[in-house]
Amino acid sequence: MTGFPMSIVAPHVRKHLSADALFHLVRSGFASLSDHRLDDTEISLTDALMSAFAMFSLKAPSLLAFDKERTEANLHTIYGIVRVPCDTHMRAILDPVSPKVLRPVFKSVFRQLQRGKALEPMTFLDGHYLLALDGTEYFSSKTIHCASCLHRVHRNGSITYAHQLLGAAIIHPDQRAVIPLMPEPIVNRDGTDKNDCERNAAKRFVAKLRQDHPHLKFIVTEDSLSSNAPHIETLHAHGLHYILGVKEGDHPYLFQQVQAAEHAGRVTYYERHDRAAGVVHRFRFVNDLPLNAAHADVRVHFIEYWESSDIKVQHFTWVTDIRVSKRNVYHLMRGGRARWKIENETFNTLKNQGYNFEHNYGHGEQHLSVVFAMLMMLAFLVDQAQQLCCALFQAVWAKLGSKRLLWERMRALFYTYALASMRQLFEALLYGLQKPTPVFGFDST
Ligand SMILES: [Zn+2]
């Protein structure tokens, strides 16, 4: 299965950002974690973590499906796994692993992207990245539960158990790829029935973000649930800018202030016509308003925006700490609107594009469900890095037309042929396999 017509110019692969290089990086990150087990080290923690990572990287539909193929030699060659645990063994090894130990692995992949200048196309405004945050639920059950499950107690006394996380991704209005950071799990604390919540998770997330990346410049974008004074103060305390959704129903005081500013002639109007797209962008904005009556010291800048075409009008409102002018309002609007990428390009991709985010790969009693969610996000990060900066991956994706088909073909090749690398696999998907010509021996006697 070697070779392809030499007239075709092979798409450029950036060596340190290739899937092979990133798998290697992930594996060495796992190898530096200390093994919590004193006995039973027949299969190393590194192999157990890497096997789960490979399961998500290959988009195996279930742990059982992955288990069936676990003798596959490519798991050794491509993912560097020495011994693949069976499904029960993998669950047993990973259940006690504290999810927070995985943070350095996310960070090392991120650093590699920075060093390779892969994040340059993601800068949004004056060297700032746009960072979208949003909570999502990926598991709920009336029967299956663990020590970290959230509890929802119903009126009849029954309980629904659930898992949520606060997702975070660097997004850009012009880029389809997103770069996820390590999510913050929203979990029960220490097996009590005290529920964690998204707001607390956001507080922890922001503090860890600053520990990991003390000098990076961010503009955080979130939905209107986040537009509250304590959260804005948290963002401010950590040197983070923001563009946050607001709603008239939730922020009546702010909208009254906008009306008052309107009467006082303090509101600025701005219009921009995009004739090619048949769209008119209309804005009104006013700087320096109190967010609400109780926190008059928290001052925000307000943007209202209408996008009108022949078919429909879309309407949005945001607050930001970046002073709004006719010069930057269009750009800020695009940043605010890009927020949907955390839902669409991140959570929906994980749920519907082969990753099976809501599938229960195994729940465990302690952390397993959370560890699996983190490893899935890590596999997604490596895939997104390919999507952002690997021309070979992009060419294969364009040729096959959908991620689903890409993963399907990828798995089929992975489980059929002995491969030396992911690069070889992607090249085979792009150029096709060259079947060896049968060699017939002639008996000359
Ligand atoms: Zn649970």
Side-chain angles (χ1 to χ4, degrees), residues 8 39 58 61 116 122 170 181 212 273 350 368 378 399 427:
I8 298 173
D39 51 356
L58 292 164
M122 301 298 280
I170 292 180
L181 305 182
D212 281 355
H273 294 256
L350 290 175
L368 185 66
L378 189 60
K399 181 187 171 188
E427 283 175 351

Side-chain angles (χ1 to χ4, degrees), residues 163-236:
H163 279 265
Q164 298 174 354
L165 55 78
L166 180 77
I170 292 180
I171 58 170
H172 190 284
D174 299 329
Q175 298 288 340
R176 199 158 164 204
V178 303
I179 297 297
L181 305 182
M182 173 142 154
E184 182 61 31
I186 304 175
V187 289
N188 232 317
R189 294 279 134 199
D190 308 320
T192 63
D193 54 5
K194 204 161 181 257
N195 279 329
D196 192 8
C197 65
E198 190 174 324
R199 197 186 280 194
N200 284 342
K203 244 187 205 170
R204 297 194 300 274
F205 175 86
V206 163
K208 291 172 190 171
L209 175 73
R210 270 296 169 240
Q211 272 168 25
D212 281 355
H213 308 288
H215 306 299
L216 280 191
K217 298 200 281 183
F218 292 107
I219 299 168
V220 171
T221 174
E222 296 175 79
D223 65 20
S224 68
L225 291 175
S226 64
S227 302
N228 58 78
H231 183 62
I232 285 178
E233 279 167 344
T234 303
L235 294 176
H236 184 72

